[in-house]
Amino acid sequence: MAQTRILICNSCSGTRDRDAERQAVARALAKAGLAERIELAEHACFNGCQDPVALALQGDGMASYVFSGVDVAADADDIAATCQTYLGSPTGWIEDARPCGRLRLCLRTRIPALQST
């Protein structure tokens, strides 16, 4: 099975309870039936420092996304909805981001999947 993951910035400034953030996202992923399909991890700095918190979504053979200005705990359900929409596209390219809720307004960049030649 291809690997898909959400990476939450662990160096974004401000008062944060990273454990509570991870738990909120893990609960939302489980509620959406995605706990086995999405790896949840942390990574340092996505260069979204001016608008923390940043997170990334990536998958094997899929487009990659970087979001900033995310309230990870409050936006957990929208993170899960974005993952569901992402997995529903063969290449991860989200054409209609309305199902992503507030997260669609936090999009910083998206990069198409690397194509084999």
Side-chain angles (χ1 to χ4, degrees):
M1 176 184 277
Q3 181 170 346
T4 303
R5 64 183 170 180
I6 285 284
L7 296 161
I8 302 171
C9 181
N10 63 11
S11 61
C12 280
S13 62
T15 303
R16 297 175 56 198
D17 183 342
R18 292 200 323 250
D19 287 334
E21 290 174 348
R22 285 180 62 98
Q23 289 173 13
V25 174
R27 279 192 304 271
L29 291 172
K31 185 171 116 182
L34 300 174
E36 298 299 318
R37 298 182 66 193
I38 304 286
E39 175 190 355
L40 182 57
E42 293 184 358
H43 186 76
C45 199
F46 292 103
N47 200 27
C49 306
Q50 71 281 3
D51 196 14
V53 169
L55 62 87
L57 174 60
Q58 64 182 170
D60 292 338
M62 304 282 277
S64 295
Y65 290 79
V66 176
F67 302 89
S68 62
V70 179
D71 181 334
V72 178
D75 292 330
D77 287 335
D78 289 342
I79 292 169
T82 300
C83 290
Q84 187 72 55
T85 303
Y86 180 78
L87 291 170
S89 169
T91 62
W93 198 258
I94 298 172
E95 295 290 341
D96 181 1
R98 289 176 292 180
C100 300
R102 195 185 87 77
L103 210 63
R104 74 186 186 282
L105 305 174
C106 299
L107 181 63
R108 181 178 178 95
T109 192
R110 67 180 177 171
I111 303 163
L114 186 62
Q115 301 297 317
S116 298
T117 54

